[in-house]
Amino acid sequence: MNTYHATITITLRKGILDVQGKTVEHALHATDFPMISHLRIGKYVELTVEAENKTTAHSLVEDACRKLIANPIMEDFSISLNELQVENV
Amino acid sequence: MNTYHATITITLRKGILDVQGKTVEHALHATDFPMISHLRIGKYVELTVEAENKTTAHSLVEDACRKLIANPIMEDFSISLNELQVENV
């Protein structure tokens, strides 16, 4: 089994109102940052996964995102995988 | 003025308990994903910023992160900037 490190970025789908992002943007405009706009807040998830190969690891993480980590109705996610170590030498 | 697109990843500092991440990890272990571990949840922020040049843009975003977007006591953040368009042609 190999170990992979995955980073996942989860963003609200276009067209869905990002209340948290709008609030932070208003607060920025009210302080010293009127030049910042289009602020949207999503989630950033890091995890390690054990799998036979990168393809299996990717489909496991994708499955976990779809079932539990993200909300596929309202959110998009993208996964990036890196192999950490090879134990089957 | 140029327009830059910034993506910011905000993660809890090492050693600070990530309650949300632990909860999701336990839920994954209780379902079909015992092979996933070390799950930590952070924030992912996208924004656009207007500035004279990339250095100014970076320092503006860094300042905004330190003052409002992130909690520098508990969180680390990393900023990545891309130029969107050049208006001063």
Side-chain angles (χ1 to χ4, degrees):
Chain A
M1 294 293 259
N2 301 327
T3 308
Y4 298 88
H5 182 253
T7 58
I8 305 155
T9 55
I10 302 172
T11 48
L12 272 178
R13 293 201 158 178
K14 258 194 148 184
I16 294 190
L17 180 67
D18 177 10
V19 181
Q20 193 188 4
K22 276 276 166 249
T23 308
V24 172
E25 192 177 319
H26 285 155
L28 286 169
H29 290 179
T31 53
D32 304 328
F33 305 98
M35 71 299 279
I36 289 178
S37 60
H38 301 94
L39 190 146
R40 285 175 81 81
I41 298 182
K43 273 174 263 178
Y44 177 77
V45 180
E46 292 179 308
L47 55 83
T48 60
V49 57
E50 297 213 342
E52 285 295 337
N53 54 54
K54 202 166 178 174
T55 315
T56 319
H58 194 281
S59 68
L60 274 170
V61 174
E62 198 176 326
D63 206 23
C65 282
R66 211 168 273 133
K67 287 191 183 160
L68 200 101
I69 300 174
N71 172 351
I73 311 284
M74 291 173 60
E75 294 169 333
D76 291 319
F77 56 85
S78 78
I79 299 164
S80 144
L81 273 185
N82 285 309
E83 191 161 348
L84 275 188
Q85 69 212 52
V86 183
E87 280 167 27
N88 287 347
V89 183
Chain B
M1 294 293 258
N2 301 326
T3 308
Y4 298 87
H5 182 252
T7 57
I8 305 154
T9 56
I10 302 171
T11 47
L12 273 178
R13 293 200 158 179
K14 258 192 149 185
I16 294 191
L17 179 67
D18 177 10
V19 181
Q20 193 187 5
K22 276 276 166 252
T23 307
V24 171
E25 193 177 319
H26 285 155
L28 285 168
H29 290 178
T31 55
D32 304 329
F33 305 98
M35 71 298 280
I36 290 178
S37 61
H38 301 94
L39 190 146
R40 284 176 83 82
I41 298 182
K43 272 176 262 178
Y44 176 76
V45 180
E46 293 178 308
L47 55 83
T48 61
V49 57
E50 297 214 342
E52 285 296 336
N53 55 53
K54 202 165 177 173
T55 315
T56 319
H58 195 281
S59 69
L60 274 169
V61 174
E62 199 176 325
D63 206 23
C65 281
R66 211 167 272 133
K67 286 190 183 160
L68 200 103
I69 301 174
N71 172 351
I73 311 284
M74 291 173 60
E75 293 168 334
D76 291 319
F77 57 84
S78 79
I79 299 164
S80 145
L81 272 184
N82 285 309
E83 191 162 347
L84 275 188
Q85 69 213 50
V86 183
E87 279 165 27
N88 287 347
V89 182

